[in-house]
Structure formats: C-alpha cells, structure tokens
Amino acid sequence: MRRPVLSRKLEGFGTTIFAEMSALAAATGAVNLGQGFPDSDGPREVLDAAVAAMRSGQNQYPPGPGTADLRHAIAEHQQRFYGIEVDPDTEVFVTTGATEAIAASLLGLLDPGDEVVAFEPYYDSYAACIAMAGAVRRPVTLRTPDFALDHDELRRAVTPRTKLVLLNTPHNPIGKVFSREDLDAIAAVAIEHDLIVISDEVYEHLVFDGVHTPIASLPGMAERTITVSSAGKTFSFTGWKVGWVCAPPDLVAAVRTAKQFLTYVSGAPFQPAVTVGLRLPDSYFEEFTNDLRIKRDRLCAGLEEAGFLVFRPAGTYFITTDIRPLGEDDGLEFCRSLADRCGVVAVPNVVFYDDKVEGGPLVRFAFCKRHEVIDEAVARLKGLAR
Ligand SMILES: Cc1ncc(COP(=O)(O)O)c(C=O)c1O
C-alpha cells in the first residue's frame, strides 16, 4: 500500500507527540508540563453562563457565523484593548477554536502550489494545514539565543508564488512577542508583495514584558489581515474550542466557505459563556496576566537551578530551554526518558521545526499549572543533574 501523502509531508511533525507525552504522564504519574492546558478552571461567571445556556436549551445548531451577541462582544474587545473597529456582522466570524480558524483560513485562501511564509518553530497545525491545502511552507527560522527575526531572511523567503504570511505573536513555543520593528518589517513585505497575513494571537492576553500589538492595527494592514484568537487561553477553558477571526468581509467569506464544510457551526452553549468572558472588567485580564507572570518567573528560576539554559519568554504559557548544559543534545530522546528518569513530562521543540538541527536540543515546559505543581516539577528536575 502506498503511504498516504499527508503523513509523508508531515514527517517529524505532529500532535502525536503531545498524545505520546500525555499518555506517558498518565502511565507513570509524572508531572505533566507537556501540553499547554491549565490545571484549574477559568472564571466562575463564565462557567455558570455555559451551564445556564445548556439548561435553558441553547443546545442546537447556533448561527453559522456565531451568535450575534458573541460577535458583538468580540468587536467590543478589539475596540477596548486595541482601538480596532470591526463590524460584528461582516468582519467577525466564530470558529471551533483557533485551530479551525487557521485551518479554514488556509484552506479557503490557498491554491495548490501557493507558498506560505511562516516563522519557525511553528505551532504544528500550521504545517499540517498548509500541506492539506496542497501549498508549500517557506520557513523563516527564529534562532537561539534571542529568536530575533532576520528581516533580510524574511524578504528572501518571498517568491512570486507567495500568497500569505502566517504569524504567531505571542509565539508558541518560544514565548517571543514580536516587536513593533518586526511587525513593521512584516507589514512592509506584505504590502509590497500584496500578501495576506494570518495573525494567530491566541496568547494576546498573556504578555508579561512589552505589549501585544495586533498587526492589523498597522497602517495598510487591516484590509489584508485575518486576526485569529480563541477563548481557550484567555479564559482557561481550552476544551471548549471557541475561536474567531476578525478580517475584512472578503477574507471572512473565504474562511466561512471552508468552515461550513469542516464543522458547519461551533459549540452553542459555550458562545454565550465566552460572551460573558469577553465583557469581564479589565481587572480580570490584569489578574490573569499577573498570575501567569508569577508562574513564569517561578518555573524559569527552577529550570535554571536544575541546570537548563532558559530562554525567558515575554509571553504565552511556555518556556523553551536548551538541554546542552545538562550534557545532552537530543530533545526528543530526553523527553521520552524524562518521565522515567525524574517523573516530569515536557515536549521536544523539534516537532515544531523544519530545521531539525536548530530545534534538536530544545525542550518546552508549560507553566499554566498550579504553584504546587510547578514546585513539585522543579524539585524532581533538580534530581537530573545529580
Ligand atoms: C499558537 C497557537 N495557536 C492556536 C492554538 C489552538 O487554539 P484552540 O485550542 O483555540 O484551537 C494553540 C493551542 O495550543 C496555539 O498554541
């Protein structure tokens, strides 16, 4: 039997590693700092709103673009935090998580053979969805130690076949918050070559140093940008899978065309709940960021004490480390053995790279966990160097 084309194109990528690591954690009782999900629920009023919606019968197919109330709340959020105006009826569209927003955007916009410039390491669904669209990824590598964007490399990655740029800021797994200079450079390239930008901003409220700037807020960018976000990270309900795009009507139409054949509509009772979340006062968003900042600092300090080279993230849930100071250089093997060696699970960054040499010695730890869980993981990791 011939091997399926898609799995050939995705050699070395894949969420299979998350499943493998989570299964390892479950089987061994290890502390799971692998997959990025919080170990406590989000705000009570948001949870209550979902329960109330279920009990009041909001359990059938909701409107395809998302409920009007949720679309209005998303538009208000863009205005409140970034001063961006979007029309809730024509420029906001609800999806089944950011994952579907990205998939539907790529499937709706790409023709076979089109090229996509993306910044590696990349969230692994990017490579998969580009491949599913029959398109080609053109990585621009963000390299250690500072994961700086090489503006010349970005310009060289663009060819006559390039149709879009796929950006993620704040960035999983390296925690980079793209600077204004970086965003200006990306915008300049997009405008010069008439490219679309898909900007994955699911960690928009998880910025600890600096500020999050949506690329759509830059001059000339609103008309060519699909901004993607999700309730999963902002409200700590990653299992609800409510995401959205904000984009001009022609780009929303492309997303809608693909989405209607992927999932048709998205989780009815969660939409009123996310509406409540988006309308929470500023204090919720501030406290959420502050809590995660403390966790970041706690795990960064612990990983340094345990002997890792730590790349301190400016945003997201994740800390990328280099294991070479521990005398090791194969992140995949390291992660596969870590549960047995010290009872902790992490994720090898190599699964986010085309450049397997650059990604090889890097390992990612998630800090969206309770303080005592972080402390237990650190205590165990300190045993490694002994
Ligand atoms: C960069 C990035 N984009 C998208 C997603 C997926 O978001 P959702 O769970 O809303 O589909 C994740 C989840 O880990 C992510 O890290």
Side-chain angles (χ1 to χ4, degrees):
M1 198 181 83
R2 290 187 55 192
R3 275 191 68 200
V5 175
L6 193 59
S7 65
R8 249 193 351 259
K9 286 184 188 166
L10 292 173
E11 200 78 64
F13 279 92
T15 39
T16 48
I17 196 73
F18 298 119
E20 181 185 334
M21 293 302 152
S22 288
L24 200 59
T28 59
V31 179
N32 189 356
L33 302 189
Q35 210 174 346
F37 57 85
D39 57 1
S40 41
D41 278 339
R44 184 66 208 223
E45 51 272 64
V46 177
L47 200 59
D48 287 347
V51 173
M54 276 179 219
R55 294 215 181 279
S56 69
Q58 296 183 58
N59 298 306
Q60 309 309 328
Y61 295 131
T67 65
D69 228 17
L70 176 54
R71 284 184 281 106
H72 278 262
I74 293 165
E76 287 161 23
H77 170 277
Q78 294 306 94
Q79 176 62 252
R80 165 156 65 132
F81 288 100
Y82 311 117
I84 296 176
E85 287 276 345
V86 285
D87 180 334
D89 294 324
T90 59
E91 297 181 318
V92 179
F93 190 78
V94 175
T95 56
T96 303
T99 307
E100 188 192 44
I102 294 158
S105 301
L106 293 169
L107 292 170
L109 290 165
L110 292 169
D111 287 313
D114 283 346
E115 293 182 3
V116 178
V117 173
F119 306 99
E120 76 165 345
Y122 18 64
Y123 181 58
D124 58 349
S125 86
Y126 298 177
C129 292
I130 293 166
M132 283 194 264
V136 177
R137 58 184 186 272
R138 290 278 167 230
V140 172
T141 307
L142 305 169
R143 293 192 170 77
T144 56
D146 53 7
F147 301 109
L149 173 62
D150 180 332
H151 295 186
D152 291 331
E153 201 178 326
L154 165 63
R155 279 189 285 274
R156 282 197 302 275
V158 176
T159 76
R161 306 216 66 160
T162 308
K163 186 173 272 176
L164 59 86
V165 178
L166 181 43
L167 169 66
N168 173 212
T169 183
H171 185 286
N172 173 12
I174 57 177
K176 177 185 171 81
V177 176
F178 279 67
S179 66
R180 181 61 198 239
E181 292 68 38
D182 287 341
L183 297 177
D184 281 339
I186 297 165
V189 166
I191 290 167
E192 183 186 338
H193 297 277
D194 194 20
L195 308 177
I196 296 162
V197 174
I198 300 176
S199 185
D200 176 350
E201 301 179 11
V202 298
Y203 299 101
E204 61 184 319
H205 289 290
L206 285 170
V207 174
F208 314 118
D209 308 320
V211 287
H212 171 64
T213 305
I215 196 166
S217 66
L218 271 50
M221 290 306 292
E223 61 260 40
R224 62 180 67 252
T225 302
I226 299 181
T227 304
V228 172
S229 197
S230 162
K233 314 293 173 181
T234 300
F235 303 111
S236 303
F237 290 115
T238 59
W240 287 8
K241 302 296 288 185
V242 175
W244 54 85
V245 300
C246 295
D250 57 330
L251 296 180
V252 164
V255 178
R256 186 177 59 232
T257 307
K259 188 246 159 57
Q260 68 187 328
F261 300 116
L262 291 172
T263 56
Y264 180 47
V265 295
S266 303
F270 300 122
Q271 296 194 34
V274 172
T275 306
V276 169
L278 287 167
R279 290 180 173 149
L280 287 173
D282 290 355
S283 56
Y284 165 74
F285 296 88
E286 283 156 19
E287 280 160 27
F288 175 62
T289 311
N290 288 340
D291 178 51
L292 266 297
R293 182 185 289 108
I294 292 166
K295 290 175 174 172
R296 174 202 60 174
D297 293 346
R298 203 174 186 115
L299 187 56
C300 278
L303 289 168
E304 268 163 12
E305 282 169 36
F308 292 82
L309 174 59
V310 171
F311 303 105
R312 191 181 182 77
T316 75
Y317 281 164
F318 304 109
I319 298 170
T320 284
T321 62
D322 191 324
I323 57 173
R324 282 174 290 192
L326 293 166
E328 317 204 22
D329 60 9
D330 184 338
L332 186 57
E333 280 315 306
F334 179 83
C335 289
R336 285 193 165 132
S337 67
L338 199 58
D340 278 341
R341 287 164 67 193
C342 74
V344 175
V345 162
V347 165
N349 286 33
V350 73
V351 299
F352 304 114
Y353 281 87
D354 277 304
D355 182 341
K356 301 296 180 197
V357 174
E358 182 66 22
L362 305 181
V363 169
R364 188 193 81 175
F365 294 86
F367 56 85
C368 46
K369 307 293 174 182
R370 282 169 289 131
H371 292 273
E372 60 270 29
V373 173
I374 293 175
D375 290 347
E376 178 61 29
V378 167
R380 293 180 183 199
L381 287 164
K382 281 184 185 162
L384 268 183
R386 272 182 226 132

